[in-house]
Amino acid sequence: MNIISKRTLVKFYEQHPQAKSALEVWHSDTRKAIWTTPEDIKQVYASASFLKDNRVVFNIKGNDFRLIVHIDYPRKIVRVKFIGTHAQYDKINAQEI
C-alpha cells in the first residue's frame, strides 16, 4: 500500500517519542500489505475499527494512540487523516476528519 503521508506520523512521534516504534512498525507493515477489503485488515489488525467512507481506526501502542486513515482499496492508497492521543481523539468527529 502507498501511504500518504509518513511526514504526518513523523511529526507526531517527534512530539510523542513513545509512539515512534509502534508507528514505524505500522508504517512498514502497511507498506508491505495488499489490502483489497476490510477483512484483509482484520486478519492483521483484529482491533481495527471500520467507519463509513473506507475509514479505519487503528489502535497504536497498546491503544495509547489512535490513527485514522482513509483507504482507497482499488488504488492501494492509505491516507493518514489523524493521529493523536485518546484525549485528542475524543474531541474529534472520526467520521468527518
Side-chain angles (χ1 to χ4, degrees):
M1 303 298 287
N2 297 309
I3 303 168
I4 302 171
S5 101
K6 184 175 182 181
R7 182 180 181 137
T8 304
L9 303 178
V10 171
K11 282 184 176 181
F12 183 79
Y13 68 60
E14 285 174 346
Q15 298 297 314
H16 302 273
Q18 66 276 28
K20 181 177 182 176
S21 177
L23 285 172
E24 288 287 340
V25 168
W26 178 89
H27 185 271
S28 176
D29 290 349
T30 301
R31 292 230 356 123
K32 296 173 192 170
I34 301 172
W35 294 332
T36 58
T37 66
E39 290 77 24
D40 294 337
I41 297 168
K42 270 295 194 189
Q43 289 178 6
V44 180
Y45 295 99
S47 65
S49 300
F50 298 89
L51 309 175
K52 68 180 182 180
D53 191 33
N54 291 326
R55 292 173 188 264
V56 183
V57 180
F58 293 94
N59 298 318
I60 302 295
K61 193 183 173 285
N63 208 18
D64 287 348
F65 304 100
R66 292 281 177 98
L67 171 64
I68 302 173
V69 302
H70 173 267
I71 300 180
D72 183 335
Y73 293 100
R75 292 182 178 170
K76 297 178 175 54
I77 297 173
V78 176
R79 288 182 181 87
V80 174
K81 302 299 257 177
F82 170 86
I83 177 70
T85 65
H86 267 278
Q88 293 167 327
Y89 177 83
D90 289 342
K91 293 179 182 176
I92 64 159
N93 182 339
Q95 301 280 357
E96 295 178 3
I97 195 158

